[in-house]
Amino acid sequence: MPKPKSNSDKRVVVPRTRPARASDRTDWLRLRRALWPDCSEAMHRLEMKQLARPSRKAGVLVLDDGRGCVVGFIELSIRGRVDGSTAPRVGYIEGWFIEPAFRRQGWGRRLVAAAGDWCRRRGLSELASDSELANRTGQAAHRALGFRETFRLVHFVKKVR
């Protein structure tokens, strides 16, 4: 029978939220491609480059699995106008994704709480987001985290050549 490991051999690995670092770009790109598969890699890289610049108006927080691997992210910006808000400036979740193995364990809640902290540090009092009409899971997640629905829109585009 093998000898049990001592307590000193046991390492408890705990995921944590933190600001994104340059070393996270490969994982962040993988997760962005999972969230927005129709977006080209070139567009992902361009947007990531813009978001990675130090700024008080945009930021990226990640969920680190405790071993240095990014398994979730939330991209944030500050918008001047958001439907349903009365604040002149609002923190906005531009993108939010967590790998399936880490879902329904409270990590999305922690990322959104960290996003709220990001907003408060910038003097903002509201955090807004959106979800596609067909994404019922995303809508339910938002409601479970205290977001209230404000509007439903269908956008249209027409070529005018």
Side-chain angles (χ1 to χ4, degrees):
M1 173 182 257
K3 184 178 175 185
K5 292 183 179 182
S6 70
N7 284 340
S8 62
D9 292 334
K10 293 180 184 177
R11 280 196 205 165
V12 176
V13 179
V14 178
R16 63 188 177 107
T17 61
R18 60 172 172 76
R21 306 187 280 240
S23 60
D24 298 328
R25 290 212 179 148
T26 300
D27 286 334
W28 180 23
L29 175 61
R30 174 180 51 79
L31 296 172
R32 274 184 128 252
R33 293 184 78 178
L35 179 60
W36 297 299
D38 295 334
C39 185
S40 71
E41 184 164 339
M43 184 57 73
H44 279 301
R45 290 187 184 280
L46 175 65
E47 290 175 352
M48 290 170 66
K49 184 177 180 179
Q50 293 168 343
L51 286 165
R53 287 189 194 126
S55 168
R56 288 192 47 80
K57 292 187 177 188
V60 180
L61 304 173
V62 298
L63 175 61
D64 180 315
D65 71 353
R67 296 178 179 96
C69 182
V70 174
V71 296
F73 74 89
I74 194 164
E75 295 177 358
L76 302 162
S77 71
I78 297 175
R79 292 190 179 185
R81 167 134 175 30
V82 173
D83 289 333
S85 171
T86 58
R89 296 173 43 231
V90 177
Y92 203 86
I93 297 174
E94 301 292 348
W96 173 30
F97 185 84
I98 296 177
E99 286 186 356
F102 287 82
R103 293 179 188 164
R104 303 194 60 81
Q105 299 174 43
W107 296 111
R109 182 176 298 280
R110 286 204 180 161
L111 270 175
V112 171
D117 293 340
W118 183 91
C119 290
R120 279 187 289 282
R121 285 192 303 274
R122 285 155 179 79
L124 305 173
S125 61
E126 290 183 317
L127 177 62
S129 184
D130 60 45
S131 176
E132 293 181 348
L133 287 174
N135 185 353
R136 295 185 193 283
T137 302
Q139 293 168 34
H142 281 84
R143 282 191 292 277
L145 295 175
F147 287 90
R148 66 178 171 77
E149 185 176 320
T150 58
F151 288 92
R152 288 188 174 236
L153 299 173
V154 176
H155 297 264
F156 296 93
V157 172
K158 177 182 176 182
K159 299 252 186 229
V160 292
R161 296 186 224 198

